[in-house]
Amino acid sequence: MSYTNSLVTCAFPYSNGSIHLGHLLEHIQADIWVRYKRMRGQKVIFICADDAHGTAIMIQSKKENITPEQLIHRTLIEHKNDFLNFNVIHDNYYSTHTTENLFFVKKIFSTLQKKNFLKKKNIYQYYDIKENIFLPDRFIKGTCPYCHTKQQYGDNCENCSSIYTATDLIDPKSILSNTKPLLKKTEHLFFDLPQLETFLKNWIYSGVLQSSVLNKIKEWFITGLKPWNISRDQPYFGFNIPNFPNKYFYVWMDAPIGYISTFKNFCHYNKDINFEDFWKIDSPHQLFHFIGKDIIYFHSLFWPAILEAADLRKPTGIFAHGYLTINQKKISKSKGPMILAKDWIKYLDSDSLRYYYASRLSSKVEDIEMNLETFHEKINADIVNKIVNLASRSAYFINVYFKGYLSKELTDIHLYKILISSSRKIESFFENRDFSLVVSEIIKMSNIANQYVNTEAPWNIFNLKNDISKNRVQNICSLSINLFKIIITCLKPIMPDLAQKSEEFLNISLKWEDIVHPLLNHKIALFKKLYSRINKNQVHFLLKTCTLK
Ligand SMILES: [Zn+2]
C-alpha cells in the first residue's frame, strides 16, 4: 500500500466563455480515471481552476460594461456548476486570479531572475492602430508559416500544432479591426529556454509522454528551442511584472503556476497534505496533467523547463487527447457545432455523455468523433437493452416470489469466474486510460450474462407450485443479478448516477475489492427503473437550441 498522493489536473478553462462538450471530454476523461484510482484505494487529489487572465477577458468585460473581476467571478460560478452537473467532482476548483497565484508567480519569477534565466530584449510586435493596442497572439489571424493553413492564430497552428510568433504568420490581420497590424518596437522579458535544452532532452525520455507526443517534440528540438516571451504590454488583465512598468506576465506564464496555487489553496483546507513535500524536486508523489493536443508544447517544454529552473518537481505523466468532432465537424467557438454543457443537461443526462466518451477514449492522442445521429441508439442498445435489462428481467422473480432474497449459493461458479477474469483485464485498461477497451469488455460481459438468462429462460420454467422449479428460478435470477453487480462495479467510474441507483437496488455499496464476493442470501430492494431510454427527439431539441445560438 502506497501512501503517496497523486495530483491530477485538467487544463484550465478560459474565463470568458461557457463550458462546452470539448471541455467535458477532457474533464470526464480525468474524472473517470480519478474515480477508478480511488476505487482501488489510491489517494488522489483532483484540481482545476479558471484561467482568468489575458486580453480576451479585458475586452469581453469592456463589452459587457463590467470589471474583469466581475466577469471572472460570474464565470467561475457558472463553470463550477457545469462540471458538477456532469459529476466531474474536483477537490478544488479555483482561479488563477488569486493572492496565492500572485505569490507563486512572483516567487518563481524572482528565482528565475536570480538564476539568470530571464533577459530583456527589444522586439517588434503587432499593433492595431485603430484600437490603440498591442495585439496578443490570439487577436491576430493569418496563414501558418509551416503548413500554410489559413486562419490560424498568432501563437500556434491548430492544424500542424507548430508554435511560432505572430510575426511569423503570413498575411496577418487584427481580429479586432480586421486591418493589417503594424509592427511597433517594445521591450519584453524572455525566459531562456535554450539554457534548459539538455535537461529537456533527457526529461522527455523519462516515460512521461505518449509516444506520438515524444515524436512531435523530437521534431521541435530539430527546429530548435527559442527564448520564450513571458511578458505582455498594457492594456492587459493579469499580474504586473515587478520593476517593469506597464508590463504584465503573459497568461501562459501564470496559468500553469495555477496548478501550484490551486493545490496550495486545497492544502489550506486539508492540513494533512504537505504542500512542500509535494512540490520539492525529489517529491515522492505523482503529478498528472490531462490536456488537449493543442497545448502540448506549453506542458511538455515550457512547463517542465520553468519547474526545473525554479527547483521544483516535474510532472509524472502528461496525457494529451485529440479534438472532439461532432458529426465529423471540429467543434469551435467561431465555427462548427458548439454544444454547451448547460444545454446538454436540459435535454439529456450526464451518464450518457460520460459513457459515450468512455466508449471512444483511448490512451492515444486521437480525435474523438461523436455521431449525434446514432448517439441515442448506442446508449439504448448498450445501457438499456444489455446492462440494465440484465437486472430488470431477473429482479421481478426475486422481488415477487422470494421476498427480495438472492439464493444461498451460486449455481454456475464457472460463469461467475469468467466475468471476474474480465474485470481483471478491465483493471489494466482503466489504469492505462484505455476506456474504450473497458467499455467493449463490459459489453462482452453483458452479452455473456444475457445469453445465460436467455438460455435458462426462467419465465418458461417458473411454476409456483413446484419447489424444484422455484428453486431453479431463484438460482438463475440470483446469478444474473450477481453478474449485473460485477458489470455495474466496473461501470461505476464511468456512470456514477447509474451506479448509485444500482447500489440502492442491490442494497450495497459497490466496491472494487468486492467484485470477487457474490451476494448470497442477500436482500435486494424493489426494482425501480435504473435508466431511461433516450428518445431521438431529445437530441433533436438539443441541436435546435444550439443552432439557434
Ligand atoms: Zn500549421
Side-chain angles (χ1 to χ4, degrees), residues 358-378:
S359 76
R360 291 279 188 272
L361 278 162
S362 75
S363 54
K364 297 199 179 85
V365 196
E366 293 164 340
D367 289 350
I368 307 287
E369 160 65 6
M370 182 170 202
N371 184 334
L372 282 178
E373 291 299 314
T374 56
F375 173 82
H376 67 290
E377 288 167 12
K378 179 173 175 62

PDB file of all heavy atoms in Angstrom, residues 358-378:
ATOM      1  N   ALA A 358     -16.379   7.590 -22.897  1.00  0.00           N
ATOM      2  CA  ALA A 358     -15.546   6.457 -22.482  1.00  0.00           C
ATOM      3  C   ALA A 358     -15.431   5.442 -23.619  1.00  0.00           C
ATOM      4  O   ALA A 358     -14.350   4.899 -23.873  1.00  0.00           O
ATOM      5  CB  ALA A 358     -16.131   5.801 -21.237  1.00  0.00           C
ATOM      6  N   SER A 359     -16.533   5.225 -24.336  1.00  0.00           N
ATOM      7  CA  SER A 359     -16.517   4.224 -25.407  1.00  0.00           C
ATOM      8  C   SER A 359     -15.616   4.658 -26.566  1.00  0.00           C
ATOM      9  O   SER A 359     -15.288   3.860 -27.434  1.00  0.00           O
ATOM     10  CB  SER A 359     -17.939   3.974 -25.913  1.00  0.00           C
ATOM     11  OG  SER A 359     -18.372   5.046 -26.729  1.00  0.00           O
ATOM     12  N   ARG A 360     -15.223   5.926 -26.601  1.00  0.00           N
ATOM     13  CA  ARG A 360     -14.398   6.452 -27.688  1.00  0.00           C
ATOM     14  C   ARG A 360     -12.954   6.760 -27.256  1.00  0.00           C
ATOM     15  O   ARG A 360     -12.082   6.940 -28.102  1.00  0.00           O
ATOM     16  CB  ARG A 360     -15.006   7.758 -28.224  1.00  0.00           C
ATOM     17  CG  ARG A 360     -16.312   7.600 -28.954  1.00  0.00           C
ATOM     18  CD  ARG A 360     -16.068   7.148 -30.377  1.00  0.00           C
ATOM     19  NE  ARG A 360     -17.271   7.150 -31.180  1.00  0.00           N
ATOM     20  CZ  ARG A 360     -18.117   6.129 -31.279  1.00  0.00           C
ATOM     21  NH1 ARG A 360     -17.886   5.008 -30.619  1.00  0.00           N
ATOM     22  NH2 ARG A 360     -19.190   6.218 -32.038  1.00  0.00           N
ATOM     23  N   LEU A 361     -12.721   6.868 -25.951  1.00  0.00           N
ATOM     24  CA  LEU A 361     -11.418   7.354 -25.474  1.00  0.00           C
ATOM     25  C   LEU A 361     -10.379   6.243 -25.345  1.00  0.00           C
ATOM     26  O   LEU A 361     -10.675   5.161 -24.853  1.00  0.00           O
ATOM     27  CB  LEU A 361     -11.572   8.032 -24.110  1.00  0.00           C
ATOM     28  CG  LEU A 361     -12.041   9.488 -24.116  1.00  0.00           C
ATOM     29  CD1 LEU A 361     -12.555   9.883 -22.739  1.00  0.00           C
ATOM     30  CD2 LEU A 361     -10.897  10.414 -24.542  1.00  0.00           C
ATOM     31  N   SER A 362      -9.167   6.556 -25.777  1.00  0.00           N
ATOM     32  CA  SER A 362      -8.060   5.623 -25.570  1.00  0.00           C
ATOM     33  C   SER A 362      -6.893   6.407 -24.982  1.00  0.00           C
ATOM     34  O   SER A 362      -7.007   7.599 -24.708  1.00  0.00           O
ATOM     35  CB  SER A 362      -7.645   5.004 -26.897  1.00  0.00           C
ATOM     36  OG  SER A 362      -6.927   5.950 -27.664  1.00  0.00           O
ATOM     37  N   SER A 363      -5.767   5.725 -24.804  1.00  0.00           N
ATOM     38  CA  SER A 363      -4.593   6.408 -24.256  1.00  0.00           C
ATOM     39  C   SER A 363      -3.850   7.169 -25.350  1.00  0.00           C
ATOM     40  O   SER A 363      -2.837   7.801 -25.093  1.00  0.00           O
ATOM     41  CB  SER A 363      -3.669   5.387 -23.605  1.00  0.00           C
ATOM     42  OG  SER A 363      -3.370   4.367 -24.534  1.00  0.00           O
ATOM     43  N   LYS A 364      -4.344   7.083 -26.573  1.00  0.00           N
ATOM     44  CA  LYS A 364      -3.641   7.741 -27.691  1.00  0.00           C
ATOM     45  C   LYS A 364      -4.174   9.165 -27.928  1.00  0.00           C
ATOM     46  O   LYS A 364      -5.255   9.513 -27.478  1.00  0.00           O
ATOM     47  CB  LYS A 364      -3.821   6.918 -28.960  1.00  0.00           C
ATOM     48  CG  LYS A 364      -3.203   5.532 -28.849  1.00  0.00           C
ATOM     49  CD  LYS A 364      -2.987   4.939 -30.235  1.00  0.00           C
ATOM     50  CE  LYS A 364      -2.348   3.577 -30.139  1.00  0.00           C
ATOM     51  NZ  LYS A 364      -3.343   2.503 -29.930  1.00  0.00           N
ATOM     52  N   VAL A 365      -3.414   9.934 -28.697  1.00  0.00           N
ATOM     53  CA  VAL A 365      -3.794  11.326 -28.983  1.00  0.00           C
ATOM     54  C   VAL A 365      -4.672  11.346 -30.248  1.00  0.00           C
ATOM     55  O   VAL A 365      -4.301  11.929 -31.249  1.00  0.00           O
ATOM     56  CB  VAL A 365      -2.546  12.202 -29.200  1.00  0.00           C
ATOM     57  CG1 VAL A 365      -2.911  13.686 -29.101  1.00  0.00           C
ATOM     58  CG2 VAL A 365      -1.467  11.868 -28.198  1.00  0.00           C
ATOM     59  N   GLU A 366      -5.799  10.658 -30.205  1.00  0.00           N
ATOM     60  CA  GLU A 366      -6.642  10.582 -31.401  1.00  0.00           C
ATOM     61  C   GLU A 366      -7.853  11.494 -31.251  1.00  0.00           C
ATOM     62  O   GLU A 366      -8.346  11.695 -30.146  1.00  0.00           O
ATOM     63  CB  GLU A 366      -7.154   9.146 -31.592  1.00  0.00           C
ATOM     64  CG  GLU A 366      -6.067   8.160 -31.925  1.00  0.00           C
ATOM     65  CD  GLU A 366      -6.509   6.716 -31.725  1.00  0.00           C
ATOM     66  OE1 GLU A 366      -7.486   6.477 -30.984  1.00  0.00           O
ATOM     67  OE2 GLU A 366      -5.869   5.828 -32.299  1.00  0.00           O
ATOM     68  N   ASP A 367      -8.337  12.008 -32.377  1.00  0.00           N
ATOM     69  CA  ASP A 367      -9.560  12.795 -32.330  1.00  0.00           C
ATOM     70  C   ASP A 367     -10.747  11.875 -32.015  1.00  0.00           C
ATOM     71  O   ASP A 367     -10.740  10.703 -32.367  1.00  0.00           O
ATOM     72  CB  ASP A 367      -9.790  13.518 -33.664  1.00  0.00           C
ATOM     73  CG  ASP A 367      -8.775  14.645 -33.861  1.00  0.00           C
ATOM     74  OD1 ASP A 367      -8.051  14.953 -32.894  1.00  0.00           O
ATOM     75  OD2 ASP A 367      -8.716  15.207 -34.966  1.00  0.00           O
ATOM     76  N   ILE A 368     -11.742  12.440 -31.337  1.00  0.00           N
ATOM     77  CA  ILE A 368     -12.899  11.663 -30.896  1.00  0.00           C
ATOM     78  C   ILE A 368     -14.110  12.118 -31.701  1.00  0.00           C
ATOM     79  O   ILE A 368     -14.474  13.292 -31.651  1.00  0.00           O
ATOM     80  CB  ILE A 368     -13.183  11.933 -29.397  1.00  0.00           C
ATOM     81  CG1 ILE A 368     -11.925  11.700 -28.549  1.00  0.00           C
ATOM     82  CG2 ILE A 368     -14.382  11.137 -28.904  1.00  0.00           C
ATOM     83  CD1 ILE A 368     -11.529  10.291 -28.361  1.00  0.00           C
ATOM     84  N   GLU A 369     -14.706  11.220 -32.422  1.00  0.00           N
ATOM     85  CA  GLU A 369     -15.882  11.583 -33.214  1.00  0.00           C
ATOM     86  C   GLU A 369     -17.162  11.218 -32.449  1.00  0.00           C
ATOM     87  O   GLU A 369     -17.327  10.114 -31.960  1.00  0.00           O
ATOM     88  CB  GLU A 369     -15.839  10.873 -34.580  1.00  0.00           C
ATOM     89  CG  GLU A 369     -17.166  10.746 -35.320  1.00  0.00           C
ATOM     90  CD  GLU A 369     -17.811  12.074 -35.768  1.00  0.00           C
ATOM     91  OE1 GLU A 369     -17.207  13.147 -35.625  1.00  0.00           O
ATOM     92  OE2 GLU A 369     -18.961  11.999 -36.243  1.00  0.00           O
ATOM     93  N   MET A 370     -18.054  12.201 -32.350  1.00  0.00           N
ATOM     94  CA  MET A 370     -19.334  11.978 -31.697  1.00  0.00           C
ATOM     95  C   MET A 370     -20.423  12.083 -32.763  1.00  0.00           C
ATOM     96  O   MET A 370     -20.625  13.146 -33.348  1.00  0.00           O
ATOM     97  CB  MET A 370     -19.536  13.046 -30.635  1.00  0.00           C
ATOM     98  CG  MET A 370     -20.814  12.870 -29.879  1.00  0.00           C
ATOM     99  SD  MET A 370     -20.815  13.979 -28.489  1.00  0.00           S
ATOM    100  CE  MET A 370     -21.992  13.150 -27.464  1.00  0.00           C
ATOM    101  N   ASN A 371     -21.093  10.970 -32.997  1.00  0.00           N
ATOM    102  CA  ASN A 371     -22.148  10.973 -34.004  1.00  0.00           C
ATOM    103  C   ASN A 371     -23.494  11.132 -33.312  1.00  0.00           C
ATOM    104  O   ASN A 371     -24.006  10.204 -32.687  1.00  0.00           O
ATOM    105  CB  ASN A 371     -22.087   9.665 -34.795  1.00  0.00           C
ATOM    106  CG  ASN A 371     -23.090   9.653 -35.928  1.00  0.00           C
ATOM    107  OD1 ASN A 371     -24.117  10.332 -35.867  1.00  0.00           O
ATOM    108  ND2 ASN A 371     -22.798   8.888 -36.958  1.00  0.00           N
ATOM    109  N   LEU A 372     -24.063  12.332 -33.421  1.00  0.00           N
ATOM    110  CA  LEU A 372     -25.315  12.584 -32.694  1.00  0.00           C
ATOM    111  C   LEU A 372     -26.536  11.990 -33.414  1.00  0.00           C
ATOM    112  O   LEU A 372     -27.628  11.965 -32.841  1.00  0.00           O
ATOM    113  CB  LEU A 372     -25.502  14.082 -32.458  1.00  0.00           C
ATOM    114  CG  LEU A 372     -24.654  14.630 -31.298  1.00  0.00           C
ATOM    115  CD1 LEU A 372     -24.846  16.121 -31.142  1.00  0.00           C
ATOM    116  CD2 LEU A 372     -24.968  13.923 -29.981  1.00  0.00           C
ATOM    117  N   GLU A 373     -26.347  11.511 -34.639  1.00  0.00           N
ATOM    118  CA  GLU A 373     -27.444  10.814 -35.326  1.00  0.00           C
ATOM    119  C   GLU A 373     -27.687   9.456 -34.682  1.00  0.00           C
ATOM    120  O   GLU A 373     -28.823   8.993 -34.589  1.00  0.00           O
ATOM    121  CB  GLU A 373     -27.093  10.619 -36.807  1.00  0.00           C
ATOM    122  CG  GLU A 373     -27.059  11.900 -37.626  1.00  0.00           C
ATOM    123  CD  GLU A 373     -28.405  12.602 -37.626  1.00  0.00           C
ATOM    124  OE1 GLU A 373     -29.423  11.917 -37.834  1.00  0.00           O
ATOM    125  OE2 GLU A 373     -28.427  13.828 -37.401  1.00  0.00           O
ATOM    126  N   THR A 374     -26.601   8.802 -34.264  1.00  0.00           N
ATOM    127  CA  THR A 374     -26.731   7.437 -33.731  1.00  0.00           C
ATOM    128  C   THR A 374     -26.489   7.364 -32.225  1.00  0.00           C
ATOM    129  O   THR A 374     -26.509   6.291 -31.645  1.00  0.00           O
ATOM    130  CB  THR A 374     -25.730   6.499 -34.442  1.00  0.00           C
ATOM    131  OG1 THR A 374     -24.416   7.051 -34.280  1.00  0.00           O
ATOM    132  CG2 THR A 374     -26.037   6.375 -35.922  1.00  0.00           C
ATOM    133  N   PHE A 375     -26.262   8.526 -31.611  1.00  0.00           N
ATOM    134  CA  PHE A 375     -25.953   8.572 -30.177  1.00  0.00           C
ATOM    135  C   PHE A 375     -27.005   7.810 -29.339  1.00  0.00           C
ATOM    136  O   PHE A 375     -26.672   6.934 -28.534  1.00  0.00           O
ATOM    137  CB  PHE A 375     -25.867  10.035 -29.726  1.00  0.00           C
ATOM    138  CG  PHE A 375     -25.713  10.212 -28.239  1.00  0.00           C
ATOM    139  CD1 PHE A 375     -24.468  10.106 -27.642  1.00  0.00           C
ATOM    140  CD2 PHE A 375     -26.819  10.481 -27.427  1.00  0.00           C
ATOM    141  CE1 PHE A 375     -24.324  10.253 -26.265  1.00  0.00           C
ATOM    142  CE2 PHE A 375     -26.675  10.628 -26.059  1.00  0.00           C
ATOM    143  CZ  PHE A 375     -25.423  10.518 -25.477  1.00  0.00           C
ATOM    144  N   HIS A 376     -28.272   8.138 -29.561  1.00  0.00           N
ATOM    145  CA  HIS A 376     -29.335   7.526 -28.746  1.00  0.00           C
ATOM    146  C   HIS A 376     -29.421   6.019 -28.963  1.00  0.00           C
ATOM    147  O   HIS A 376     -29.688   5.264 -28.035  1.00  0.00           O
ATOM    148  CB  HIS A 376     -30.686   8.197 -29.034  1.00  0.00           C
ATOM    149  CG  HIS A 376     -31.203   7.941 -30.410  1.00  0.00           C
ATOM    150  ND1 HIS A 376     -30.624   8.493 -31.536  1.00  0.00           N
ATOM    151  CD2 HIS A 376     -32.232   7.168 -30.844  1.00  0.00           C
ATOM    152  CE1 HIS A 376     -31.289   8.080 -32.612  1.00  0.00           C
ATOM    153  NE2 HIS A 376     -32.270   7.281 -32.216  1.00  0.00           N
ATOM    154  N   GLU A 377     -29.128   5.592 -30.201  1.00  0.00           N
ATOM    155  CA  GLU A 377     -29.187   4.145 -30.489  1.00  0.00           C
ATOM    156  C   GLU A 377     -28.130   3.388 -29.692  1.00  0.00           C
ATOM    157  O   GLU A 377     -28.387   2.317 -29.153  1.00  0.00           O
ATOM    158  CB  GLU A 377     -28.955   3.890 -31.985  1.00  0.00           C
ATOM    159  CG  GLU A 377     -30.138   4.305 -32.849  1.00  0.00           C
ATOM    160  CD  GLU A 377     -29.796   4.339 -34.335  1.00  0.00           C
ATOM    161  OE1 GLU A 377     -28.722   3.819 -34.718  1.00  0.00           O
ATOM    162  OE2 GLU A 377     -30.598   4.905 -35.102  1.00  0.00           O
ATOM    163  N   LYS A 378     -26.946   3.976 -29.650  1.00  0.00           N
ATOM    164  CA  LYS A 378     -25.854   3.314 -28.929  1.00  0.00           C
ATOM    165  C   LYS A 378     -26.157   3.226 -27.436  1.00  0.00           C
ATOM    166  O   LYS A 378     -25.991   2.173 -26.821  1.00  0.00           O
ATOM    167  CB  LYS A 378     -24.534   4.059 -29.154  1.00  0.00           C
ATOM    168  CG  LYS A 378     -23.387   3.415 -28.409  1.00  0.00           C
ATOM    169  CD  LYS A 378     -22.049   4.011 -28.745  1.00  0.00           C
ATOM    170  CE  LYS A 378     -20.948   3.412 -27.885  1.00  0.00           C
ATOM    171  NZ  LYS A 378     -20.773   1.962 -28.063  1.00  0.00           N
TER     172      LYS A 378
END
